[in-house]
């Protein structure tokens, strides 16, 4: 998506993305708007450099603006991003700023927009664990809810959580756009042999004499002793399955993973995969062990049994359908739960029944319908002035309906 000058006749919708999950879940919205002949503005914060670019490229997208802000901690990321984003928002004058999820980029985008006086739309609003974990993500979700004008809740439970916190207006239950992305990528892999071959290339050479066990771990609260316990479980499970681990690039994750599992038979440590390759891998796996929110949403949709490496989850719907089980991070509990799925055909069959608790693939269209109808009303598309020194929009007489 090439950079282009700001239109004076079309309301501008500005998207903020800093991480791979944000790119994956915002891509369907951007593609849907482009199909409607709108020209959204995608701003990359730089929080996760290569992983963001690669995820966007999987949808033939690229950022229009790249702030290049990278920092070693969430507080530093937010501290650098807020003024940079505020300056950009003032210059671009969007009608609405769209943020997704719960990252430092999400929080900084919402805060910068509110400081400038631009409306905020939050995609994937209302997810709650009811605890302080995950930190700082749970805090970000709650704070963004206080700043957003439009709350796109993926499920009825997420909408109820927002209402319980006193959010009275602007809540829309839409499903999760991550399912849109998943179904789009599955269709592309099925229709494009060259793409399917490229996506499967990183998996070449992994033996099929045992079931494939996919494992992803990256969350901050699962570092240290909890990560050591997970890795011990994976080492033990390598006696039962081919254990496949796309290794997160964080040194706090990658170092221990390679130290414990690097020389283990039947363990395959892969670099971070493209989205196409990861979808292909999920399609071939017998079981996934994960602390990822996105994988918890994707696994039920494709009938992939999912063991969640957390004590609580903000995505209880997959547990309710029976596709996912919370197992925590104790070695014995993980091994026992994984072997139960691998060895119990009846249990495996129940967990493999596809379910769509997070939507059926139409979230992007529903979200954009609301954005175009409510966030950018026709009466203010071309007549708003920005004359006030604090950056708040002020309607000119011509905009009165």
């Amino acid at each position: 998506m090439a950079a282009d000058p700001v239109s004076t006749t079309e309301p501008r919708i500005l998207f903020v993305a800093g991480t791979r999950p944000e790119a994956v879940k915002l891509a369907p919205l951007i593609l849907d708007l482009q199909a409607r002949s709108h020209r959204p503005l995608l701003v990359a914060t730089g929080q996760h450099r290569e992983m963001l670019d690669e995820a966007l490229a999987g949808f033939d997208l690229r950022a229009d603006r790249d702030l290049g802000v990278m920092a070693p901690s969430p507080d530093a990321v937010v501290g650098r991003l807020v003024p940079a984003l505020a300056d950009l928002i003032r210059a671009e004058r969007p009608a609405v700023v769209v943020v997704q999820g719960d990252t430092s980029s999400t929080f900084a985008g919402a805060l910068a927009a509110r400081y400038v006086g631009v409306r905020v739309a939050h995609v994937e609003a209302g997810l709650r664990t009811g605890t302080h974990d995950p930190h700082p993500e749970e805090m970000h979700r709650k704070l963004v809810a206080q700043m957003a004008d439009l709350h796109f809740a993926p499920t009825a439970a997420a909408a109820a959580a927002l209402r319980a916190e006193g959010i009275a207006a602007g809540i829309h239950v839409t499903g999760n756009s991550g399912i849109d992305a998943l179904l789009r990528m599955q269709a592309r892999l099925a229709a494009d042999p060259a793409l399917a071959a490229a996506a499967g290339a990183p998996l070449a050479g992994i033996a099929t004499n045992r079931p494939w066990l996919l494992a992803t771990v990256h969350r901050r609260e699962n570092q240290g002793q909890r990560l050591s316990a997970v890795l011990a479980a994976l080492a033990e499970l390598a006696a039962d399955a081919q254990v496949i681990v796309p290794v997160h690039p964080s040194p706090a994750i990658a170092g221990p993973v390679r130290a414990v599992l690097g020389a283990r038979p039947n363990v395959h440590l892969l670099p971070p995969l493209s989205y196409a390759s990861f979808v292909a891998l999920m399609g071939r796996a017998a079981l996934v062990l994960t602390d990822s929110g996105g994988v918890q949403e994707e696994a039920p949709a494709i009938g992939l049994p999912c063991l969640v490496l957390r004590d609580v989850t903000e995505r209880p719907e997959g547990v309710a359908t029976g596709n996912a089980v919370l197992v925590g991070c104790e070695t014995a509990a993980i091994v026992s739960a994984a072997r139960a799925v691998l060895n119990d055909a009846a249990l495996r069959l129940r967990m493999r029944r596809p379910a769509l608790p997070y939507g059926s693939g139409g979230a992007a269209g529903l979200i954009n319908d609301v954005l175009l109808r409510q966030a950018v009303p026709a009466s203010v598309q071309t007549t708003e002035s920005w004359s006030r020194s604090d950056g708040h929009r002020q309607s000119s007489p011509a905009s009165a309906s």
Side-chain angles (χ1 to χ4, degrees):
M1 186 169 63
D4 56 4
V6 176
S7 170
T8 60
T9 61
E10 177 188 290
R12 194 72 163 194
I13 300 176
L14 187 151
F15 292 84
V16 175
T19 66
R20 172 191 168 121
E22 289 169 276
V24 169
K25 293 182 176 183
L26 290 177
L29 278 72
I30 294 168
L31 293 170
D32 179 73
L33 284 172
Q34 290 177 338
R36 303 185 195 206
S37 299
H38 285 267
R39 295 182 298 164
L41 183 70
L42 176 58
V43 178
T45 65
Q47 184 177 342
H48 289 172
R49 176 70 286 143
E50 291 84 3
M51 295 176 74
L52 176 80
D53 290 344
E54 187 174 56
L56 289 173
F59 297 92
D60 297 322
L61 295 173
R62 64 183 177 88
D64 299 287
R65 307 285 187 273
D66 189 340
L67 298 180
V69 173
M70 298 183 70
S73 62
D75 57 312
V77 170
V78 173
R80 297 177 187 180
L81 272 180
V82 171
L85 282 166
D87 286 345
L88 187 148
I89 292 167
R90 288 191 185 97
E92 297 292 344
R93 303 182 182 183
V96 61
V97 169
V98 181
V99 296
Q100 191 282 328
D102 52 26
T103 70
S104 298
S105 294
T106 305
F107 175 56
L111 187 59
R114 292 303 297 179
Y115 278 144
V116 174
V118 174
R119 301 187 76 191
V120 174
H122 186 200
V123 174
E124 201 178 78
L127 274 61
R128 300 289 186 272
T129 64
T131 72
H132 290 298
D133 284 330
H135 180 80
E137 290 84 0
E138 184 81 356
M139 174 181 71
H140 289 160
R141 297 168 186 151
K142 293 180 178 179
L143 292 172
V144 172
Q146 301 306 309
M147 294 184 278
D149 302 278
L150 294 170
H151 311 262
F152 296 113
T155 66
L162 290 167
R163 295 188 186 99
E165 294 175 0
I167 306 298
I171 300 173
H172 302 269
V173 178
T174 61
N176 197 304
S177 57
I179 303 302
D180 299 32
L182 172 66
L183 299 180
R184 177 187 288 267
M185 186 56 71
Q186 280 190 313
R188 288 185 61 194
L189 289 169
D192 187 340
L195 176 63
L203 314 178
I206 300 177
T208 57
N209 60 329
R210 301 174 185 219
W212 285 13
L213 188 159
L214 167 61
T216 76
V217 58
H218 74 282
R219 302 196 76 91
R220 196 171 285 105
E221 65 269 23
N222 276 350
Q223 294 177 9
Q225 182 56 44
R226 290 174 68 87
L227 177 60
S228 296
V230 171
L231 298 179
L234 295 178
E236 190 170 342
L237 288 168
D240 305 83
Q242 299 289 347
V243 176
I244 304 168
V245 186
V247 181
H248 193 276
S250 167
I253 299 293
V257 168
R258 298 190 186 283
V260 174
L261 298 178
R264 289 274 178 175
N266 302 320
V267 174
H268 309 269
L269 303 184
L270 305 181
L273 298 174
S274 70
Y275 185 60
S277 290
F278 192 78
V279 170
L281 174 54
M282 286 195 296
R284 297 176 64 179
L287 173 66
V288 62
L289 279 64
T290 188
D291 61 6
S292 162
V295 175
Q296 289 180 67
E297 296 155 355
E298 293 161 340
I302 63 173
L304 173 60
C306 178
L307 301 183
V308 182
L309 303 172
R310 296 174 60 189
D311 299 320
V312 294
T313 180
E314 59 288 296
R315 294 168 171 88
E317 293 85 358
V319 176
T321 63
N323 297 92
V325 178
L326 282 170
V327 297
C329 287
E330 292 185 3
T331 301
I334 296 169
V335 171
S336 175
R339 285 180 172 161
V341 176
L342 293 173
N343 297 327
D344 186 334
L347 173 61
R348 190 166 60 252
L349 180 63
R350 290 196 299 272
M351 295 185 73
R352 287 189 66 85
R353 291 193 183 105
L356 294 169
Y358 306 105
S360 56
L366 292 173
I367 291 168
N368 285 337
D369 286 346
V370 175
L371 285 175
L372 294 172
R373 183 174 67 248
Q374 295 191 23
V376 285
S379 61
V380 296
Q381 285 184 14
T382 60
T383 56
E384 285 179 334
S385 73
W386 289 68
S387 59
R388 288 174 54 180
S389 61
D390 63 359
H392 286 271
R393 288 181 290 188
Q394 178 176 324
S395 297
S396 67
S399 70
S401 57

